[in-house]
Amino acid sequence: MEASKKVVVFLVCIIMISSYVHVSMANEESKEEKSKKALGKVLNAYRNCYNNCEKGCSNAGHNSNYCDEKCENQCDKKVLKEDTESFD
């Protein structure tokens, strides 16, 4: 009888530990999804900024090297500024 109680207690402990691990892994997945969404948002903002800037720059008659550098700098600053402001 004593041995059966120990087996039951052991099984209950295993079930509790496995459920804790399962819940922990589920939380990690949600953090990963949040990170993917945030990264997608930043990439879309940068892509939109860069495309608009490059279109306007090339329409103004500047060469592609000038426009690439100008738009990269401008959009880097803009996207970084927006992202850091969202943390406040």
Side-chain angles (χ1 to χ4, degrees):
M1 188 70 163
E2 187 69 29
S4 64
K5 286 182 183 180
K6 289 181 181 180
V7 170
V8 170
V9 170
F10 176 75
L11 291 175
V12 169
C13 289
I14 295 296
I15 291 169
M16 291 176 63
I17 290 171
S18 66
S19 66
Y20 174 76
V21 169
H22 179 71
V23 169
S24 296
M25 291 175 72
N27 287 340
E28 289 300 318
E29 290 172 355
S30 67
K31 288 179 186 177
E32 183 178 338
E33 289 299 317
K34 288 178 184 178
S35 297
K36 285 181 182 178
K37 287 179 184 177
L39 179 60
K41 182 179 174 183
V42 169
L43 290 175
N44 285 334
Y46 184 85
R47 186 179 305 122
N48 290 336
C49 175
Y50 186 86
N51 289 339
N52 291 335
C53 176
E54 187 176 42
K55 190 182 295 181
C57 184
S58 62
N59 287 343
H62 298 289
N63 68 32
S64 63
N65 289 336
Y66 173 81
C67 291
D68 284 344
E69 188 171 328
K70 175 186 180 274
C71 293
E72 284 176 4
N73 289 333
Q74 178 180 330
C75 293
D76 284 348
K77 290 175 186 174
K78 180 180 178 184
V79 170
L80 287 174
K81 181 180 179 187
E82 289 174 359
D83 287 341
T84 54
E85 287 176 352
S86 69
F87 291 129
D88 295 337

